[in-house]
């Protein structure tokens, strides 16, 4: 039977980085994936340019039932460590916005870098691997893989979440955690567009492609200042994706379409200068004309001139545009979600090493764990940081 120090299940961001680090630290590592390519999500990420980390990565940017869990790993392997690695490989990068770092050329560069790191660690890679059974043994674990048994001292589960099933996502990690008695916190799609109810959808659909810088506020008070994008299914854009991770079905979302404007003051000043100007044309100075026209058909903007706009109408208008209450119908779900919220309950894991406290040798890293970052490179940073923390323990164990 083939024997390894470490078997890593899942050759995505976390799995590849962990395998490479452990291999370079002297462990004999086997890296498995059910797909036919390494790092498929990395290749798709950031519009093909991989938003590989964020300059402002910090624990406050992560959602988890146990918000302290991510602190240790993020502090020990930081965004600066990963930037250093990328720079050593000569990969050119730039900050797009809000600390989000992207490759200048292609996400393939990150996958190639991780592949080379794995080669340096003499990691054995097996793609198209179907794991049919995992059993605990005295030495560690026996894994039945494409009908053959492999034995390992340590097993790292890096099989990711449920988002984008077309890219190999599977509930494998959750089932394995349950097999060993670990709790799985309810999972749901995160960083995902909202769908809308009819008849609102019928009206807003006509705006498909229109983007508006906005401030969105969730029911729990979480605020994001980025753009929203109208789509033929509902609402998307960075502000919506961010807020979706904080949204529960049935809740309303507050949308401020004019976050940088004293709207009442602007209308009063315009009324003095151009009393016969239509409200529609006045608002079009600050909002896309198509949006103003659409909101008028929804009777959210009265069809009047500025001098006809009475104080009650003006207050209602300010509320309508700066605290627009939208109730999403739902989300587009795992098909388009960037991440999965929930997952392996971190209270069963060590925050220093990612090992399952009750099952020595069994580790969970990356998205399969109940740690989910904001949009903007935070999720990859969690993958790198959790993988690194795990690899340090694997190296220590193999030397013990
Ligand atoms: C379209 C898209 C764009 C994104 N863009 C960004 C971005 O720019 N920046 C950012 O920070 N985050 C981004 N994310 C999120 C980020 O990709 C994930 O958070 C990250 O990939 C998680 O890493 P992981 O290694 O835990 O899981 P994954 O990268 O999902 O890797 C898991 C691997 O496990 C394999 N696997 C699953 N089940 C099995 C099984 N039964 N047997 C064997 N192998 C299995 C899968 O094939 C996969 O290769 C994006 C996500 C999507 C979907």
């Amino acid at each position: 039977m083939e024997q390894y120090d470490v078997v890593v299940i899942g050759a995505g961001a976390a799995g590849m980085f962990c395998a490479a680090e452990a291999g370079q630290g002297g462990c004999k590592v086997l890296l498995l994936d059910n797909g036919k390519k390494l790092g498929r999500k990395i290749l798709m990420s950031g519009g093909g340019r991989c938003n590989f980390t964020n300059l402002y990565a910090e624990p406050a940017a992560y959602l988890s039932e146990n918000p302290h869990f991510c602190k240790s790993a993020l502090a020990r392997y930081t965004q600066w460590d990963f930037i250093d690695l990328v720079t050593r490989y000569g990969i050119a990068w730039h900050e797009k916005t809000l600390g989000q770092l992207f490759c200048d050329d292609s996400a393939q560069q990150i996958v190639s870098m991780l592949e080379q790191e794995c080669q340096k660690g003499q990691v054995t890679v097996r793609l198209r691997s179907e794991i049919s059974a995992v059993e605990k043994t005295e030495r560690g674990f026996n894994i039945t893989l494409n009908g053959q048994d492999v034995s390992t001292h340590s097993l790292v589960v890096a099989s990711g979440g449920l988002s984008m099933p077309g890219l190999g996502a599977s509930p494998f990690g959750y089932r394995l955690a349950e097999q060993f008695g670990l709790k799985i916190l309810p999972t749901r799609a995160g960083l995902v567009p909202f769908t809308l109810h009819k008849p609102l959808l019928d009206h807003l659909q006509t705006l498909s492609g229109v983007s508006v810088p906005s401030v969105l506020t969730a029911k729990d008070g979480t605020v994001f200042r980025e753009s929203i994008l109208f789509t033929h299914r509902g609402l998307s854009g960075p502000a919506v994706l961010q807020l979706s991770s904080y949204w529960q079905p049935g809740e309303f979302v507050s949308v401020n379409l004019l976050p940088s404007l004293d709207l009442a003051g602007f209308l009063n000043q315009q009324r003095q200068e151009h009393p016969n100007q239509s409200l529609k044309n006045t608002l079009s100075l600050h909002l896309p004309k198509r949006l103003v026209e659409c909101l008028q058909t929804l009777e959210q903007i009265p069809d009047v001139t500025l001098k006809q706009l009475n104080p009650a109408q003006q207050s209602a208008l300010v509320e309508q545009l700066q605290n627009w209450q939208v109730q999403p119908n739902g989300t587009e779900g795992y098909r388009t979600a960037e991440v999965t919220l929930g997952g392996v309950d971190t209270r069963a894991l060590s925050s220093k090493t990612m090992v399952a406290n009750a099952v020595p040798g069994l580790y969970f890293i990356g998205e399969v764990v109940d740690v989910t970052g904001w949009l903007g490179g935070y999720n990859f940073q969690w993958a790198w940081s959790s993988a690194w923390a795990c690899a340090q323990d694997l190296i220590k164990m193999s030397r013990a």
Side-chain angles (χ1 to χ4, degrees):
M1 196 193 307
E2 279 180 79
Q3 296 205 341
Y4 291 90
D5 297 325
V6 179
V7 169
V8 180
I9 300 177
M16 287 179 83
F17 191 51
C18 180
E21 283 289 319
Q24 289 178 34
C27 301
K28 185 180 175 198
V29 183
L30 173 64
L31 173 63
L32 304 174
D33 200 280
N34 57 0
K36 48 184 181 185
K37 256 190 189 171
L38 294 165
R40 280 180 290 176
K41 261 190 204 163
I42 302 176
L43 292 172
M44 288 281 292
S45 68
R49 289 220 163 89
C50 186
N51 178 192
F52 56 80
T53 191
N54 193 293
L55 292 177
Y56 309 117
E58 50 153 354
Y62 293 85
L63 292 90
S64 170
E65 270 204 20
N66 180 10
H68 300 297
F69 181 80
C70 63
K71 288 182 178 170
S72 167
L74 289 171
R76 286 164 65 214
Y77 190 86
T78 68
Q79 56 272 47
W80 309 110
D81 293 313
F82 197 76
I83 292 168
D84 190 44
L85 177 65
V86 167
T87 308
R88 268 189 275 136
Y89 271 78
I91 299 173
W93 52 267
H94 61 278
E95 179 186 351
K96 197 168 167 191
T97 174
L98 302 170
Q100 302 167 5
L101 303 192
F102 287 76
C103 299
D104 285 359
D105 295 329
S106 159
Q108 177 63 56
Q109 294 174 294
I110 300 291
V111 176
S112 302
M113 176 188 84
L114 293 170
E115 258 184 284
Q116 287 179 55
E117 285 288 293
C118 282
Q119 282 160 10
K120 274 194 207 165
Q122 298 180 340
V123 173
T124 306
V125 178
R126 282 216 196 122
L127 300 172
R128 293 190 174 100
S129 294
E130 292 301 331
I131 297 148
S132 49
V134 175
E135 276 170 29
K136 185 91 183 84
T137 61
E138 233 170 71
R139 181 179 179 265
F141 301 87
N142 255 9
I143 300 162
T144 311
L145 176 69
N146 296 344
Q148 285 189 325
D149 280 357
V150 170
S151 149
T152 181
H153 190 268
S154 301
L155 179 60
V156 180
V157 182
S159 55
L162 298 171
S163 54
M164 298 236 171
L167 294 179
S170 82
F172 177 87
Y174 307 135
R175 299 294 92 83
L176 193 79
E178 282 171 340
Q179 178 190 333
F180 287 98
L182 277 78
K183 191 174 159 195
I184 301 301
L185 298 172
T187 54
R188 64 193 168 89
L191 301 182
V192 62
F194 284 141
T195 56
L196 293 173
H197 294 279
K198 288 186 168 213
L200 182 61
L201 176 64
D202 293 331
H203 286 279
L204 295 184
Q205 251 174 356
T206 60
L207 297 173
S208 189
V210 171
S211 168
V212 186
S214 305
V215 167
L216 262 64
T217 310
K219 190 174 170 232
D220 71 354
T222 306
V223 175
F224 288 100
R225 176 185 275 263
E226 285 183 72
S227 290
I228 65 167
L229 174 71
F230 294 90
T231 72
H232 60 286
R233 288 202 195 87
L235 295 174
S236 187
V240 168
L241 299 183
Q242 298 280 33
L243 209 84
S244 69
S245 297
Y246 290 83
W247 179 81
Q248 297 291 342
E251 287 178 2
F252 282 81
V253 169
S254 160
V255 182
N256 184 344
L257 293 166
L258 289 164
S260 307
L261 186 69
D262 166 10
L263 180 55
F266 167 70
L267 290 171
N268 293 340
Q269 175 231 328
Q270 288 285 313
R271 187 185 292 107
Q272 275 189 353
E273 293 170 15
H274 315 283
N276 294 317
Q277 183 168 274
S278 71
L279 178 60
K280 184 174 95 175
N281 285 347
T282 310
L283 291 172
S284 298
L285 295 171
H286 285 283
L287 287 171
K289 196 166 182 196
R290 277 167 69 196
L291 173 60
V292 175
E293 284 167 355
C294 177
L295 294 177
Q296 205 163 51
T297 61
L298 279 166
E299 295 177 3
Q300 287 179 209
I301 296 178
D303 187 8
V304 293
T305 61
L306 289 177
K307 74 172 180 222
Q308 290 167 332
L309 184 71
N310 66 44
Q313 281 176 314
Q314 178 161 316
S315 313
L317 178 73
V318 170
E319 184 69 8
Q320 201 57 255
L321 295 179
Q322 296 194 311
N323 185 18
W324 181 23
Q325 296 292 313
V326 180
Q327 188 183 32
N329 181 21
T331 72
E332 289 187 8
Y334 292 119
R335 193 180 56 78
T336 58
E338 284 201 12
V339 287
T340 303
L341 292 144
V344 177
D345 188 346
T346 59
R347 286 165 286 211
L349 305 178
S350 155
S351 63
K352 301 267 176 312
T353 64
M354 308 291 137
V355 74
N357 296 321
V359 191
L362 180 62
Y363 300 75
F364 292 85
I365 58 172
E367 198 180 314
V368 73
V369 174
D370 171 38
V371 174
T372 307
W374 289 347
L375 184 80
Y378 297 95
N379 284 296
F380 280 137
Q381 186 56 45
W382 170 246
W384 319 133
S385 297
S386 58
W388 190 88
C390 172
Q392 304 320 302
D393 201 52
L394 295 169
I395 295 165
K396 199 169 114 195
M397 298 304 284
S398 76
R399 287 177 186 164

